[in-house]
Amino acid sequence: MKKTQKSIIKLENVWKIYEMGDVKVEALRGLSLDVKKHEFVAIKGPSGSGKSTAVNMVGCLDIPSTGKILLDGEDISLMGESDLAQIRGRKIGFVFQKFNLIPTLTAMENVMLPMVFQGTTAEDRQKRAKELLTMVELGDRIDHRPSELSGGQQQRVAIARSLANDPEVILADEPTGNLDSKTGKMVMFFLKKLHKTGKTIIMVTHDDKLAKHADRIEHLIDGKIEQKRKKRG
Amino acid sequence: MIKEYLNLILKSFKNRQLRSWLTVLGIIIGVTAIVALISISQGMENAITEQFQKMGTDSLRVLPPNLRGPPAGDMSLPAGVADYLEKSPYIDYIDRIILEFATVEYGNEEEYLFINAYDTELESKGFSDMDLEIEEGRAFKIGEKGNAIIGYDIAHDQFDKAVHLGTSIIVDGQKFKVIGIFEKTGINIDDRIYIPLDDAKVLFDREDEYNVIVAKVRAGVDIETAQENIEKRLTRKLGEDEFNIYTPAQLLEQINSILGAVQMVLVGIAFISLLVGAIGIMNAMYTSVLERTREIGVMKAIGARNGDIMTLFLLESGIMGLAGGVVGVIVGSIIAYMVEVIAALAGFSLLSISIDYQVVLFALAFAFVVGIVSGTLPAIRAAGLKPVDALRYE
Ligand SMILES: Nc1ncnc2c1ncn2[C@@H]1O[C@H](COP(=O)(O)OP(=O)(O)O)[C@@H](O)[C@H]1O
Ligand SMILES: [Mg+2]
């Protein structure tokens, strides 16, 4: 896919400080990152280095203590909760390590749920959910509950769900962390497929083999990007 | 939108444990009480009104003071009341009534029954004023003695063997021949035995002490004016607190006010149960919010606004309330109909229960609102959860 020079995500000197009673945890310490449209960026780093915190902030799940986060040129640290929710719903698709499907809903209903919150009509929801589940090769499992699906299948449902509102950005926080390497590869295959269709992808992973699929690997240590960046391609 | 929410909620209900359903019990009891109560008291009010219409609208009732139960035996009016009333220009005629419990023998059986003495001078006038018809036999003739007219249930149900016309019953040792049987009334008359006043005076050793006097107001006289005047003059003559004189409307009012007091107590119970139910729902909802913290985080991550989460949880608690309300309406209706059946078995067949659809709608709406109100605090907590924190929750 042709890369443009246009930034879609830009973090400028972002600090995140969690205060738990008297203890202050500096999860991010001046993180700067620039992700271009259609880019596939892998983030690596030791556990506790702030990867999830960074990804959650890009995904508007939280706002920085200081610093700026620009999503499509808009500063999300200035937005209210309701606007953030709308942006999450429309522009971001999440894939979590723990799948995080709603256990009481079927695969189909899980994929339709993000569209419910955007007010999509029932007809459109069903059509799109079916398409997406077929794309992740689960067209024959649409009425299954998460508990009736394997880990890899659940993660594919989660991928389908992340695409429900056709977002520009997919955020995957250790999407293969709970899967064996074979199913992990399968999930990776679908993420690459999404990248080819033009999505911007940020993926957190420990696995060097999977990270190699990305256009660029960023190393996060102690809440900032390590300066010697490895570039690929 | 609501439809999708309902789907979400119903699915989560399926996963609920029995424990959280038991918390709705308070709502069920409260709504049951409300529905049963309103239906029964409506039925009762109708029955009482009907019974009072049977008394006629132009008769005054003079009763002994401080009554606690039926005016029978020693609870009687002072001497002189009857004479005064008879001479009053407002009054057409009076029905002097003696009521007394007595042993009644029939066959080899002996029962303790209510005897109602009737002034034979009135012939059938006193009966027709009460809308009381004789089904078999005839009314008393003037001056007749030694005969009895019996209530429907006395004739058909009281004794092992039905009491037929022409047979004899023995009241406090004295023989009476049955000359008439009343039709079924649905009220206490079915269980009474009517004997002539002259016989009763001897039998129960009464001279001029009656338990009740019904005074028929002359045509064209305003019943309230009659009541006020007679009350004033008779009080002057006999003193305070010796008697009470009521128009049918006043009696109705009195009984309804007793009914009202009973209702207040029951309404109180209903509201306490509802309060308990509300606390139960609140507790269940807090548990639900806690158990589904992660789910809430996920929903927020995929675009649910605080308002969406709030609506979802409010609707959920509202539905819990509504579910309790539905069960309560059903149980309450069953109880109300059972009361009707029991009342009929006890001889009070005027009570007819109908469940008003407005009562049902009110009860359901009320239960729903109670559910929503008790879910408000938990819903606010759910809506206010920070997405990152909710997603980290284990
Ligand atoms: N909500 C929170 N409250 C307090 N501390 C947190 C919170 N989220 C993350 N942290 C802390 O911030 C640091 C970075 O966490 P995280 O971003 O989850 O790291 P990673 O994903 O790289 O393992 C850790 O020390 C973690 O304990
Ligand atoms: Mg992490």
Side-chain angles (χ1 to χ4, degrees):
Chain A
M1 193 83 198
K2 179 181 113 235
K3 273 172 219 83
T4 62
Q5 283 311 297
K6 199 165 171 270
S7 291
I8 184 153
I9 297 159
K10 202 164 182 183
L11 282 74
E12 292 176 5
N13 193 21
V14 169
W15 286 71
K16 183 69 189 181
I17 300 160
Y18 292 109
E19 286 181 44
M20 298 159 73
D22 291 339
V23 188
K24 281 189 187 175
V25 180
E26 294 179 337
L28 295 180
R29 301 163 69 234
L31 172 66
S32 295
L33 183 67
D34 187 350
V35 178
K36 307 290 181 209
K37 238 180 190 156
H38 310 312
E39 226 183 345
F40 187 162
V41 178
I43 297 179
K44 281 191 66 181
S47 159
S49 57
K51 303 183 297 293
S52 295
T53 305
V55 165
N56 288 344
M57 227 126 28
V58 170
C60 301
L61 288 172
D62 208 349
I63 49 173
S65 303
T66 62
K68 262 194 197 172
I69 297 181
L70 301 171
L71 187 64
D72 237 356
E74 279 184 286
D75 189 351
I76 64 160
S77 44
L78 304 176
M79 288 182 191
E81 173 50 36
S82 179
D83 292 330
L84 289 178
Q86 278 294 301
I87 291 186
R88 285 196 292 268
R90 253 187 284 127
K91 294 199 173 169
I92 311 280
F94 286 96
V95 180
F96 301 95
Q97 179 177 355
K98 289 177 181 160
F99 322 138
N100 278 340
L101 300 174
I102 307 287
T104 48
L105 299 182
T106 63
M108 177 86 166
E109 287 164 337
N110 265 291
V111 177
M112 291 195 297
L113 195 55
M115 297 185 261
V116 170
F117 296 125
Q118 298 302 322
T120 314
T121 64
E123 205 185 335
D124 290 350
R125 283 202 306 265
Q126 272 162 9
K127 195 167 152 254
R128 176 130 182 98
K130 236 175 231 161
E131 276 169 17
L132 290 170
L133 283 167
T134 308
M135 188 205 84
V136 295
E137 290 168 26
L138 286 172
D140 55 343
R141 294 281 195 281
I142 59 171
D143 290 326
H144 289 232
R145 301 271 181 89
S147 59
E148 298 158 351
L149 297 170
S150 72
Q153 289 171 329
Q154 287 188 53
Q155 196 61 303
R156 274 143 65 196
V157 175
I159 289 174
R161 179 180 67 182
S162 74
L163 294 169
N165 291 318
D166 198 16
E168 287 175 74
V169 180
I170 302 289
L171 300 175
D173 190 351
E174 302 192 41
T176 61
N178 276 20
L179 302 172
D180 59 50
S181 64
K182 201 169 145 241
T183 30
K185 272 184 205 147
M186 172 89 158
V187 165
M188 205 46 225
F189 164 80
F190 284 111
L191 284 177
K192 278 195 80 172
K193 196 163 154 187
L194 295 187
H195 180 226
K196 286 206 190 82
T197 63
K199 303 288 180 204
T200 307
I201 296 180
I202 298 181
M203 178 181 73
V204 174
T205 184
H206 284 302
D207 190 328
D208 284 323
K209 278 191 212 126
L210 296 181
K212 273 190 286 180
H213 292 281
D215 299 328
R216 167 153 76 98
I217 301 173
E218 296 287 358
H219 287 268
L220 200 61
I221 291 170
D222 286 341
K224 344 185 230 204
I225 299 292
E226 210 187 25
Q227 279 315 309
K228 47 173 177 86
R229 305 195 313 198
K230 285 181 191 169
K231 214 157 186 180
R232 219 187 79 95
Chain B
M1 195 80 152
I2 294 288
K3 213 178 102 202
E4 280 70 42
Y5 284 0
L6 285 179
N7 181 40
L8 267 171
I9 292 164
L10 294 180
K11 292 249 162 103
S12 89
F13 275 149
K14 274 202 208 153
N15 271 28
R16 281 300 171 85
Q17 281 146 21
L18 185 64
R19 164 176 57 84
S20 67
W21 283 111
L22 286 180
T23 55
V24 186
L25 207 61
I27 302 284
I28 295 178
I29 294 171
V31 171
T32 298
I34 290 175
V35 170
L37 180 76
I38 295 178
S39 306
I40 292 169
S41 60
Q42 270 176 359
M44 254 160 54
E45 261 177 53
N46 293 343
I48 289 166
T49 310
E50 203 176 319
Q51 184 164 4
F52 272 83
Q53 270 155 4
K54 283 194 173 175
M55 282 182 184
T57 48
D58 48 4
S59 292
L60 291 170
R61 251 150 224 272
V62 189
L63 300 167
N66 308 322
L67 279 180
R68 282 194 177 64
D74 292 340
M75 301 275 244
S76 60
L77 289 162
V81 177
D83 287 343
Y84 175 83
L85 286 171
E86 206 155 36
K87 286 182 202 121
S88 165
Y90 297 105
I91 300 303
D92 188 357
Y93 58 87
I94 63 171
D95 182 3
R96 323 148 206 256
I97 298 167
I98 291 176
L99 294 168
E100 188 81 65
F101 278 104
T103 50
V104 176
E105 294 165 59
Y106 179 70
N108 332 325
E109 284 175 85
E110 193 178 285
E111 297 275 359
Y112 200 57
L113 297 174
F114 219 55
I115 309 297
N116 190 325
Y118 181 79
D119 192 349
T120 56
E121 300 292 322
L122 294 174
E123 296 176 273
S124 62
K125 256 195 298 189
F127 296 148
S128 51
D129 285 346
M130 287 195 292
D131 225 4
L132 194 55
E133 303 267 354
I134 290 173
E135 192 171 77
E136 285 179 69
R138 61 172 175 83
F140 293 118
K141 289 184 186 137
I142 296 173
E144 181 168 3
K145 276 191 184 180
N147 292 338
I149 304 174
I150 59 176
Y152 185 91
D153 290 346
I154 299 270
H156 298 96
D157 290 332
Q158 189 75 54
F159 298 101
D160 288 345
K161 229 169 54 174
V163 183
H164 295 294
L165 286 183
T167 54
S168 288
I169 53 176
I170 295 165
V171 179
D172 267 2
Q174 191 182 323
K175 211 166 172 183
F176 287 87
K177 196 173 110 186
V178 177
I179 57 155
I181 298 170
F182 292 119
E183 65 170 9
K184 185 145 182 86
T185 61
I187 57 176
N188 48 27
I189 289 169
D190 292 341
D191 298 310
R192 289 190 180 180
I193 293 172
Y194 279 69
I195 62 173
L197 190 63
D198 294 338
D199 286 320
K201 279 182 172 175
V202 178
L203 200 60
F204 304 132
D205 194 22
R206 302 273 192 102
E207 198 37 59
D208 192 24
E209 293 103 12
Y210 304 104
N211 297 100
V212 184
I213 296 173
V214 180
K216 177 94 169 178
V217 174
R218 252 185 233 287
V221 174
D222 174 48
I223 192 160
E224 262 136 47
T225 318
Q227 188 255 2
E228 277 165 31
N229 274 284
I230 293 170
E231 184 166 43
K232 217 188 298 163
R233 301 221 176 123
L234 207 49
T235 305
R236 211 177 295 150
K237 195 169 129 124
L238 298 171
E240 298 275 345
D241 287 338
E242 290 292 328
F243 70 96
N244 283 318
I245 179 163
Y246 298 110
T247 63
Q250 285 170 332
L251 268 182
L252 192 61
E253 220 170 83
Q254 270 215 331
I255 291 185
N256 279 342
S257 79
I258 294 170
L259 213 60
V262 175
Q263 275 174 26
M264 284 311 290
V265 172
L266 293 174
V267 165
I269 294 171
F271 274 91
I272 290 169
S273 327
L274 283 173
L275 195 68
V276 172
I279 292 168
I281 287 185
M282 185 149 88
N283 184 53
M285 290 308 297
Y286 269 128
T287 312
S288 172
V289 170
L290 205 62
E291 280 171 352
R292 289 195 281 155
T293 300
R294 219 186 156 77
E295 249 177 72
I296 294 165
V298 172
M299 287 203 261
K300 287 192 161 189
I302 61 176
R305 280 158 301 205
N306 291 357
D308 295 323
I309 302 291
M310 181 95 180
T311 312
L312 209 54
F313 277 86
L314 281 183
L315 218 54
E316 178 169 327
S317 62
I319 288 172
M320 282 180 98
L322 191 63
V326 169
V327 177
V329 164
I330 294 169
V331 177
S333 307
I334 292 172
I335 288 178
Y337 284 118
M338 262 162 51
V339 166
E340 177 185 297
V341 171
I342 291 166
L345 288 176
F348 193 68
S349 60
L350 275 185
L351 182 66
S352 97
I353 299 288
S354 62
I355 310 292
D356 197 339
Y357 79 96
Q358 280 172 323
V359 172
V360 171
L361 287 184
F362 167 78
L364 292 180
F366 195 74
F368 186 63
V369 170
V370 167
I372 285 183
V373 168
S374 30
T376 304
L377 288 177
I380 287 173
R381 166 166 311 173
L385 283 173
K386 279 177 65 188
V388 259
D389 295 339
L391 279 168
R392 279 167 63 97
Y393 184 85
E394 293 297 325

